[in-house]
């Protein structure tokens, strides 16, 4: 097992586009939940799950930085008990700009966190308000300055394009302000309107003025070009980094490696089995009080499914899928399994082959979901 994902489901504000497992922070058993995470670690250890080979830890949510300094300290204390944090290649936490104080940054740094992933989304204050964010562009700039002062030298920010009412000019301004910060890593995602969100309800009422597919494609082109011009290499469809600053944790997902999911609603993949934890917080905690792992659902991944995942996850990476690695992993030649599909996609100009690797073409980058679907039975 190479990674651990830990879910912190608390938020002070729910964004209009978010469908992750989360609840408003107020009146929640936050301290008890943190202790429950420690109990889940302990039960997994007692059942023979080893954390000795872990290379990366990721705190996600919800919003990990919604926790107080004291709560963050306790959470990190628990993690340090079960994981050799000093030996990790990467230890990341997600963060919101208006919640990440200098004092919290010091707590995170002292607790072994090496990398920040900050949900900036836009540098346009009007758009930030429209999407339900509570920070401003100035907050984002301030927190990055504080993070540098606290000693963080590996910082990423998330940006979203295709937002309601967003113009090409607004997106260009956000890209300019983002790269002027000189960060090591950037993620740029197109808005996906998910069920059970504020945006989904507005869309169903015809009250969500999205830019449209052509504008969205232009924004993606702008993102790729702007990052290249500023020395940030695209290594995955939505991710760009200075050399050596690619996200180790996210690459673990795209390379289909094993990882533990800890926390309410977390997902994991251990020993060929995918599992999801119970989502409701109190039910998650009650199950742990019974000395049982809070698993809601498990699925043994078949060889066919594993090969499919290897393809559609691996093709997200700009370097693509290695035919040699595929054969080493599954004992079957890639062309024997997917030769016809690969040739069809090559003929359509969506993937290309070079140095025993198959990867998306420039056209394929814009039609990735269409490509991935070809590997699903």
């Amino acid at each position: 097992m190479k990674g651990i994902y830990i879910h912190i489901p608390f938020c002070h504000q729910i964004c209009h586009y978010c469908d992750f497992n989360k609840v408003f922070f107020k009146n929640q058993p936050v301290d008890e939940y943190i202790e429950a995470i420690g109990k889940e670690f302990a039960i997994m250890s007692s059942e023979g799950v080893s954390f000795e080979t872990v290379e990366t830890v990721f705190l996600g949510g919800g919003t990990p930085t919604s926790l107080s300094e004291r709560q963050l300290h306790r959470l990190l204390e628990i993690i340090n008990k079960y994981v050799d944090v000093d030996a990790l290649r990467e230890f990341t936490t997600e963060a919101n700009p208006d919640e990440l104080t200098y004092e919290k940054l010091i707590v995170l740094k002292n607790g072994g966190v090496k990398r920040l992933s900050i949900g900036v989304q836009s540098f346009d204050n009007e758009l930030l308000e429209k999407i339900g964010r509570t920070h401003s562009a100035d907050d984002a700039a301030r927190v990055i300055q504080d993070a540098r002062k606290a000693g963080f030298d590996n910082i990423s920010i998330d940006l979203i394009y295709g937002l309601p009412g967003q113009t090409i000019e607004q997106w260009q301004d956000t890209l300019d302000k983002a790269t002027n910060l000189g960060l090591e890593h950037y993620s740029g995602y197109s808005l996906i309107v998910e069920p059970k969100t504020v945006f989904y309800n507005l869309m169903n009422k015809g009250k969500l003025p999205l830019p449209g597919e052509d504008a969205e494609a232009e924004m993606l082109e702008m993102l790729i070009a702007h990052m290249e011009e500023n020395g940030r290499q695209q290594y995955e469809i939505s991710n760009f980094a200075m050399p050596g600053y690619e996200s180790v944790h996210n690459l673990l997902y795209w390379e289909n490696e094993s990882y533990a999911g800890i926390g309410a609603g977390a997902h994991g993949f251990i020993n060929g089995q995918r599992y999801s934890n119970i989502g409701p917080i109190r039910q998650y905690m009650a199950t742990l009080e019974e000395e049982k792992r809070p698993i809601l659902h498990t699925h043994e991944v078949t060889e066919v499914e594993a090969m499919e995942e290897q393809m559609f996850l691996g093709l997200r990476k700009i370097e693509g899928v290695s035919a040699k690695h595929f054969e080493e992993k599954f004992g079957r030649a890639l062309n024997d399994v997917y030769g016809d599909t690969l040739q069809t996609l090559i003929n359509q100009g969506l993937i290309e082959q070079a140095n025993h690797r198959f990867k998306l073409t420039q056209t394929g980058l814009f039609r990735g979901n269409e490509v991935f679907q070809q590997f699903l039975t």
Side-chain angles (χ1 to χ4, degrees):
M1 182 176 65
K2 292 190 175 183
I4 302 173
Y5 171 82
I6 301 171
H7 192 70
I8 307 299
F10 308 111
C11 292
H12 289 296
Q13 172 66 27
I14 306 298
C15 300
H16 297 343
Y17 53 83
C18 180
D19 73 329
F20 296 132
N21 186 44
K22 78 283 181 185
V23 294
F24 281 110
F25 190 95
K26 191 175 181 180
N27 299 323
Q28 294 295 331
V30 181
D31 290 336
E32 295 88 341
Y33 180 83
I34 292 169
E35 297 306 318
I37 286 175
K39 184 169 281 289
E40 188 174 359
F41 264 112
I43 292 173
M44 291 178 75
S45 294
S46 70
E47 292 181 356
V49 177
S50 172
F51 301 108
E52 292 182 359
T53 57
V54 168
E55 299 178 2
T56 169
V57 172
F58 192 100
L59 302 180
T63 316
T65 52
S66 66
L67 303 181
S68 67
E69 294 164 41
R70 176 186 59 79
Q71 289 165 340
L72 280 172
H73 180 270
R74 177 56 182 151
L75 174 63
L76 294 167
E77 191 174 54
I78 289 169
I79 294 168
N80 274 265
K81 179 179 178 180
Y82 293 97
V83 180
D84 183 358
V85 170
D86 292 335
L88 293 174
R89 294 176 61 196
E90 184 180 276
F91 188 172
T92 301
T93 185
E94 291 180 342
N96 274 352
D98 55 340
E99 296 173 346
L100 189 53
T101 63
Y102 182 73
E103 290 75 20
K104 287 184 184 180
L105 284 161
I106 295 300
V107 171
L108 292 168
K109 187 70 175 175
N110 290 341
V113 175
K114 298 178 170 69
R115 180 176 181 269
L116 302 174
S117 178
I118 304 173
V120 172
Q121 318 312 3
S122 174
F123 284 93
D124 185 286
N125 288 333
E126 181 183 345
L127 280 176
L128 287 170
E129 186 175 350
K130 281 183 179 179
I131 65 178
R133 301 294 283 178
T134 54
H135 72 270
S136 67
D138 288 344
D139 289 330
R142 184 268 311 165
V143 79
I144 289 165
Q145 184 178 26
D146 283 350
R148 293 300 195 203
K149 184 180 175 183
F152 285 93
D153 58 6
N154 191 354
I155 301 174
S156 175
I157 60 173
D158 289 350
L159 303 172
I160 302 180
Y161 58 93
L163 294 170
Q166 187 179 35
T167 66
I168 294 296
E169 291 73 24
Q170 285 174 314
W171 180 232
Q172 183 63 61
D173 182 64
T174 279
L175 289 174
D176 289 338
K177 289 176 178 175
T179 49
N180 284 344
L181 293 169
L183 304 179
E184 291 75 25
H185 189 284
Y186 297 86
S187 298
Y189 303 102
S190 64
L191 175 69
I192 298 175
V193 181
E194 301 282 5
K196 300 180 181 179
T197 62
V198 172
F199 277 171
Y200 185 78
N201 294 332
L202 289 173
M203 184 177 69
N204 285 342
K205 296 175 183 177
K207 296 181 179 180
L208 193 69
L210 299 175
E213 290 184 4
D214 290 344
E216 192 174 302
E218 184 177 352
M219 290 178 182
L220 176 55
E221 288 180 358
M222 292 166 63
L223 171 66
I224 294 171
H226 196 80
M227 290 296 160
E228 185 176 348
E229 289 167 7
N230 286 274
R232 271 54 181 180
Q233 182 179 356
Q234 185 180 21
Y235 69 98
E236 190 269 346
I237 290 177
S238 302
N239 288 273
F240 307 80
M242 293 170 54
Y245 287 90
E246 298 83 1
S247 171
V248 177
H249 191 84
N250 286 341
L251 282 168
L252 179 152
Y253 295 148
W254 301 320
E255 291 170 357
N256 209 21
E257 299 285 359
S258 61
Y259 64 95
I262 293 176
H267 293 247
F269 179 39
I270 300 177
N271 296 328
Q273 184 184 79
R274 295 199 179 276
Y275 68 91
S276 57
N277 275 355
I278 294 167
I281 292 168
R282 294 183 187 279
Q283 187 179 348
Y284 162 82
M285 292 166 54
T287 305
L288 286 163
E289 284 300 317
E290 297 173 5
E291 300 295 332
K292 296 189 297 186
R293 284 184 65 188
I295 294 176
L296 176 67
H297 177 74
T298 61
H299 174 70
E300 295 289 341
V301 178
T302 67
E303 184 180 56
V304 170
E305 290 170 333
M307 290 190 291
E308 291 173 352
E309 292 172 352
Q310 193 75 20
M311 296 306 296
F312 69 73
L313 292 171
L315 283 170
R316 291 193 62 88
K317 298 180 298 176
I318 299 305
E319 69 174 17
V321 174
S322 164
K324 180 182 178 182
H325 178 63
F326 185 96
E327 185 167 359
E328 289 173 349
K329 187 169 185 176
F330 299 107
R332 300 176 65 184
L334 179 55
N335 269 316
D336 289 346
V337 182
Y338 292 117
D340 291 344
T341 302
L342 292 168
Q343 191 57 55
T344 297
L345 291 168
I346 289 171
N347 294 341
Q348 293 173 342
L350 299 178
I351 66 170
E352 59 187 353
Q353 180 180 8
N355 299 322
H356 305 290
R357 284 186 171 273
F358 293 87
K359 60 182 182 178
L360 296 176
T361 62
Q362 194 68 21
T363 301
L365 285 174
F366 292 86
R367 295 166 60 185
N369 288 336
E370 182 181 332
V371 174
F372 305 148
Q373 287 172 1
Q374 302 307 307
F375 297 96
L376 297 176
T377 55

